[in-house]
Amino acid sequence: MNTSGHAAADVRDDAAGLRLAPFRGLRYVPERVGSLAAVTSPPYDVVVRPDGLLHLESADPHNIVRLILPQAITAGTRHRKAAVTLDRWLADGVLAPDPEPALYVYEQDGDGVLQRGVIGALELSTPAEGVVLPHEDVMPHVVEDRAALMRTTAANLEPLLLTYVGGREDGADAVIERTVRREPLLSTTTEDGFQHRLWSVTDPDDLAAVAGELTRHQALIADGHHRWATYLRLREEHRSPGPWNYGLVLLVDTARYPLRVRAIHRLLNRLPLSEALTALDGRFRVRRIDGPLPTALEALATARAGGNAFLLAGDGGFHLVDRPDPALLDRTIRADRPPAWRTLDATVLHSTLLEHVWHIPDAAEDISYIHDTEAAVAQAERRGGTAVLMHPVREEVVRDLARQGVTMPRKSTSFGPKPATGLVLRSLALD
């Protein structure tokens, strides 16, 4: 990524940028759990249910998934169950608060990626303030569910992933580089091969250096739009200044540690692939791709270089869909958005294919969002549905649209690596 141009646009001259505060982190007590790796989880929306959920629940009786995705018949019961579990773990010494407020330096290392950032409690702001920039729409029912969970537990159970473009040698980056030379609070390797390390930063000069630089920057929400919307909803419920005016985040300087941007795929649960292909006749070009999944994904990448393209699966093979009818796009895609938005694959998928060609309702029972490519294909074949495999969007496109105040269709991107859930939690009762 060309960070030189973005860095200038990221800096705020009015010093009204990011305000990150230390907090007393809740962390697992190593002696009370099988291993730190066994109690962690991916973010709640990455867990592929039900197989992934059951795997995590069986990894350790104290796995964090029992808090972020509690299981019960009704929503209210689920949320109360999470609160009771959190209280019990605190009472039993499974989780314990750190002795003093801190910012936390967090490092992930694996799969050829080294990522470092700072975890803290970020002062909340609306999109109109231009400090934290969302780039995707949200689903109201998901925000409601997350709000009920946070309201009931009075806790931020997992950090959002936010990015900013820094690159200074004397601010947060300098503190991070000094800190990682010390012995970490914890170090563990999860089953995906990533090593996770966490340090606390409590020195007043270091805290001031991090805070001073961040007030000059705005951030892009890379992962966690629903949780950020949840933070804002709960702040409105607690009007007086206090802990509800802050939310748990991980801030990563992508000038120094660029993130990977991957696609999020769609599973159309009630649309058989044969019907999906029939409806495309005369509207898109459709070609069957012979070969395994990697070969099909290469064909998708090649086709995407020339315009909108998708890969459909569900019958044991792969079908490349590209070259949409321009007249169809003109009829189905709103004209009051920038060209970069109008030509997004996610825009064409939702505005043209789902709404006008396939007539798929925008409902959770009809559309599932799956990060893992192989899982999307396998579930489509098992359920008799259609997997729509997507090509990732470039980060600079995402950031530029966000700066214009234009949100992309929800679940358009997957930034990573995502922070592991369970390494540090924030209890609002301790702030």
Side-chain angles (χ1 to χ4, degrees):
M1 183 179 73
N2 180 5
T3 58
S4 58
H6 290 302
D10 185 71
V11 173
R12 296 176 62 91
D13 296 328
D14 57 4
L18 302 165
R19 298 189 181 276
L20 192 68
F23 69 102
R24 288 182 66 193
L26 280 183
R27 296 190 295 111
Y28 280 99
V29 178
E31 294 78 15
R32 298 302 309 274
V33 298
S35 73
L36 289 174
V39 295
T40 64
S41 164
Y44 79 97
D45 59 337
V46 179
V47 178
V48 180
R49 301 172 72 175
D51 297 345
L53 179 63
L54 293 174
H55 173 72
L56 291 166
E57 285 183 330
S58 62
D60 188 284
H62 301 108
N63 188 282
I64 193 68
V65 78
R66 297 179 185 275
L67 299 183
I68 63 172
L69 288 173
Q71 297 302 293
I73 295 175
T74 67
T77 304
R78 288 197 302 271
H79 303 139
R80 288 191 295 274
K81 182 177 180 180
V84 169
T85 300
L86 177 59
D87 289 343
R88 185 175 70 250
W89 288 358
L90 286 167
D92 293 346
V94 174
L95 289 168
D98 283 333
E100 58 182 320
L103 296 178
Y104 296 86
V105 170
Y106 175 46
E107 176 187 273
Q108 293 167 276
D109 189 2
D111 195 25
V113 176
L114 175 66
Q115 179 174 289
R116 291 171 178 157
V118 179
I119 296 175
L122 184 66
E123 185 175 13
L124 304 180
S125 59
T126 63
E129 296 173 73
V131 178
V132 176
L133 305 175
H135 70 269
E136 291 183 355
D137 296 328
V138 298
M139 292 175 274
H141 74 279
V142 177
V143 175
E144 178 54 42
D145 178 73
R146 292 296 101 183
L149 179 63
M150 287 189 203
R151 190 184 298 118
T152 306
T153 59
N156 299 156
L157 301 173
E158 46 187 340
L160 284 65
L161 175 59
L162 273 60
T163 72
Y164 69 102
V165 183
R168 289 183 56 179
E169 299 295 333
D170 59 345
D173 286 339
V175 173
I176 289 172
E177 299 309 314
R178 285 198 303 272
T179 300
V180 297
R181 291 196 290 266
R182 295 193 277 108
E183 190 71 18
L185 289 175
L186 64 86
S187 178
T188 189
T189 301
T190 46
E191 63 181 10
D192 58 4
F194 271 85
Q195 182 185 50
H196 306 262
R197 299 200 295 171
L198 192 76
W199 297 260
S200 65
V201 177
T202 57
D203 178 81
D205 291 338
D206 286 343
L207 294 175
V210 173
E213 180 189 355
L214 291 178
T215 57
R216 303 174 62 250
H217 292 288
Q218 60 185 185
L220 175 73
I221 301 177
D223 187 68
H225 284 81
H226 290 90
R227 284 165 285 165
W228 185 261
T230 297
Y231 288 165
L232 293 176
R233 174 180 292 192
L234 294 176
R235 182 182 69 167
E236 290 300 307
E237 297 176 7
H238 302 78
R239 292 284 186 160
S240 58
W244 294 96
N245 199 41
Y246 295 81
L248 185 65
V249 304
L250 165 64
L251 277 163
V252 174
D253 176 5
T254 52
R256 187 173 294 268
Y257 299 105
L259 271 64
R260 288 179 174 174
V261 188
R262 291 177 171 160
I264 302 177
H265 311 296
R266 276 65 170 163
L267 174 59
L268 311 182
N269 295 300
R270 301 180 181 181
L271 179 66
L273 181 57
S274 59
E275 294 182 16
L277 294 172
T278 299
L280 294 174
D281 186 35
R283 294 166 165 174
F284 285 75
R285 182 176 70 168
V286 180
R287 292 175 289 161
R288 186 177 180 90
I289 303 297
D290 294 323
L293 178 58
T295 300
L297 292 174
E298 289 178 7
L300 174 62
T302 300
R304 182 60 188 89
N308 298 113
F310 310 91
L311 195 65
L312 305 190
D315 62 354
F318 301 100
H319 305 266
L320 183 63
V321 176
D322 65 354
R323 297 188 183 180
D325 176 8
L328 174 65
L329 299 184
D330 288 341
R331 290 197 309 271
T332 57
I333 296 178
R334 54 191 296 180
D336 61 344
R337 294 293 180 94
W341 182 90
R342 290 173 51 82
T343 55
L344 288 170
D345 284 341
T347 298
V348 174
L349 173 61
H350 285 263
S351 297
T352 303
L353 284 169
L354 294 179
E355 185 173 348
H356 291 279
V357 175
W358 291 329
H359 306 290
I360 301 295
D362 188 7
E365 58 268 24
D366 288 282
I367 307 174
S368 300
Y369 296 86
I370 301 179
H371 293 73
D372 184 82
T373 309
E374 293 182 354
V377 174
Q379 290 196 34
E381 293 176 354
R382 185 166 62 246
R383 299 181 187 180
T386 298
V388 183
L389 307 183
M390 311 281 287
H391 189 68
V393 183
R394 299 192 316 276
E395 181 182 351
E396 53 264 35
V397 173
V398 176
R399 192 177 294 274
D400 287 345
L401 284 172
R403 287 201 178 104
Q404 296 177 59
V406 177
T407 54
M408 302 164 64
R410 55 180 169 266
K411 301 296 183 182
S412 294
T413 60
S414 176
F415 284 85
K418 304 178 189 301
T421 298
L423 297 181
V424 60
L425 291 62
R426 174 177 175 251
S427 168
L428 279 72
L430 295 174
D431 284 12

